[in-house]
Amino acid sequence: MADTHSVKLTEDEIGILVDALEADMDGYVEAAKEARGNNRREDVETFTEAAQRILKLKTRLEELIEE
């Protein structure tokens, strides 16, 4: 398991991170679509995995705001 770190953030700062992650994730989703269209399976897998990992982190951060 990776090391963990604690960082104190305001809800606004978390919101900024969520927005940035969403934009980044959208880029990976689009890259996966493009790779799929060009039949580049390895790239599809890489970009899809990146998007899924970003989504997981984004969801965790959103849960902090909802509490």
Side-chain angles (χ1 to χ4, degrees):
M1 183 173 183
D3 292 339
T4 61
H5 302 276
S6 296
V7 178
K8 291 187 179 204
L9 300 170
T10 66
E11 283 193 20
D12 286 343
E13 291 169 330
I14 294 172
I16 290 167
L17 289 173
V18 167
D19 290 345
L21 287 169
E22 187 169 344
D24 198 33
M25 183 180 66
D26 289 346
Y28 280 109
V29 169
E30 288 302 314
K33 287 178 186 177
E34 185 177 316
R36 191 173 293 113
N38 293 326
N39 204 26
R40 296 188 331 248
R41 292 179 185 237
E42 277 188 30
D43 288 344
V44 172
E45 189 175 312
T46 299
F47 296 143
T48 300
E49 180 184 344
Q52 290 170 343
R53 292 178 71 188
I54 291 168
L55 177 60
K56 185 177 178 180
L57 175 57
K58 181 177 147 308
T59 301
R60 286 181 62 200
L61 290 172
E62 288 171 329
E63 289 171 355
L64 293 174
I65 295 173
E66 294 172 1
E67 290 179 348

